[in-house]
Amino acid sequence: MKSAVSLVLALTALASQSSAHYIFEQFTHGGTLYPVYQYIRPNTNMNSPVIDLTSTDTRCNVGANGSATDTITVAAGDAFSFTSDVAVYHDGPLSIYMAKAPAAAKDFDGSGQVWFKILDIGPTFDSSGTATWNLAQTYTYNIPTALPSGDYILRIQQLAIHNPYPAGIPQFYIECAQITVTGGGTGIPSPLVSIPGWIDGTEPGYVVNIYNDFHNYTVPGPAVWAGQNA
Ligand SMILES: *[C@@H]1O[C@H](CO)[C@@H](O)[C@H](O)[C@H]1NC(C)=O
Ligand SMILES: *[C@@H]1O[C@H](CO)[C@@H](O)[C@H](O)[C@H]1NC(C)=O
Ligand SMILES: [Cu+2]
């Protein structure tokens, strides 16, 4: 009887945990907040994180496939936003990556050394050294003006490091939008990395304990592309 009760309690805790995660399911451009999964690849993962660094699920989430997803036209320099179902609440950095599709964005699975980073948001440290993470429901940024025109996958990644490694495994919350960039520049995005492979799990920003002697932070992954025209 006692164990049945604790099993029910454990299952209830699990259920509320999984329903309480977050997922970037809406895209905004030109002042329009589009419906859930319009221009964003749907997935089969609900709002659970991806934790296996070696899995192709780290690209666009579990079961993500763009073949039935529309692609939105966005001019270089334009603002865009990703909005999650509930505000991000696990401490950790946020990054935005892109990959140029060889043809239509909807047909590209993101394989190869094709990914570059356009944004990192790490913590700020106040004068006493206390970290504050930018946890939000909507993250807004601009397509680099130097980015060449064409079809791209636009990928948002929040890395939750609230349960310090190795007792806790860092969690990736990922979604991919499909965009056609127009009016672009002559830049050559770099460095290019593969996903998986972009993070090997030894980075200080991956293994750090944010509750212990935490005074500086470097977001894992490649350097952010400087966004210069060639
Ligand atoms: C999506 O699924 C289709 C049909 O199953 C498949 O042909 C295609 O390669 C998949 N695309 C991606 C991007 O994985
Ligand atoms: C903080 O800086 C030190 C000294 O450069 C470095 O060794 C350490 O890895 C950094 N910590 C994080 C979490 O980036
Ligand atoms: Cu969680």
Side-chain angles (χ1 to χ4, degrees):
M1 190 61 189
K2 191 178 177 213
S3 66
V5 169
S6 49
L7 177 63
V8 168
L9 288 177
L11 287 174
T12 307
L14 258 181
S16 60
Q17 214 175 31
S18 59
S19 65
H21 283 152
Y22 40 89
I23 184 162
F24 298 101
E25 57 188 9
Q26 285 185 277
F27 193 75
T28 295
H29 174 250
T32 301
L33 172 66
Y34 289 101
V36 168
Y37 294 121
Q38 185 165 3
Y39 307 120
I40 292 180
R41 292 184 177 182
N43 63 80
T44 58
N45 203 23
M46 304 300 286
N47 53 12
S48 299
V50 176
I51 59 172
D52 180 356
L53 277 176
T54 66
S55 169
T56 54
D57 293 340
T58 55
R59 282 180 199 151
C60 291
N61 210 336
V62 181
N65 183 311
S67 59
T69 303
D70 290 337
T71 298
I72 186 169
T73 298
V74 178
D78 276 4
F80 63 89
S81 307
F82 283 94
T83 298
S84 58
D85 55 345
V86 297
V88 170
Y89 62 93
H90 288 322
D91 287 348
L94 185 122
S95 302
I96 296 180
Y97 287 75
M98 297 185 77
K100 182 132 180 17
K106 70 180 178 62
D107 295 325
F108 188 39
D109 66 0
S111 58
Q113 194 176 332
V114 293
W115 293 94
F116 55 97
K117 192 154 73 175
I118 62 169
L119 177 70
D120 272 339
I121 304 177
T124 55
F125 294 90
D126 69 15
S127 53
S128 68
T130 304
T132 301
W133 298 91
N134 180 355
L135 306 184
Q137 187 164 11
T138 296
Y139 292 92
T140 300
Y141 198 56
N142 294 75
I143 302 296
T145 54
L147 189 71
S149 299
D151 270 28
Y152 290 84
I153 303 175
L154 178 63
R155 172 183 180 275
I156 189 167
Q157 165 194 297
Q158 201 261 347
L159 174 58
I161 51 175
H162 58 300
N163 295 322
Y165 189 86
I169 301 180
Q171 305 174 344
F172 291 93
Y173 293 88
I174 313 151
E175 295 300 320
C176 291
Q178 297 178 176
I179 67 172
T180 300
V181 174
T182 57
T186 59
I188 302 170
S190 69
L192 297 176
V193 295
S194 302
I195 300 178
W198 83 129
I199 289 173
D200 67 17
T202 63
E203 295 83 356
Y206 183 88
V207 300
V208 67
N209 182 333
I210 62 171
Y211 309 109
N212 181 28
D213 197 22
F214 182 53
H215 303 296
N216 60 287
Y217 187 80
T218 301
V219 180
V224 172
W225 176 44
Q228 302 295 313
N229 277 312

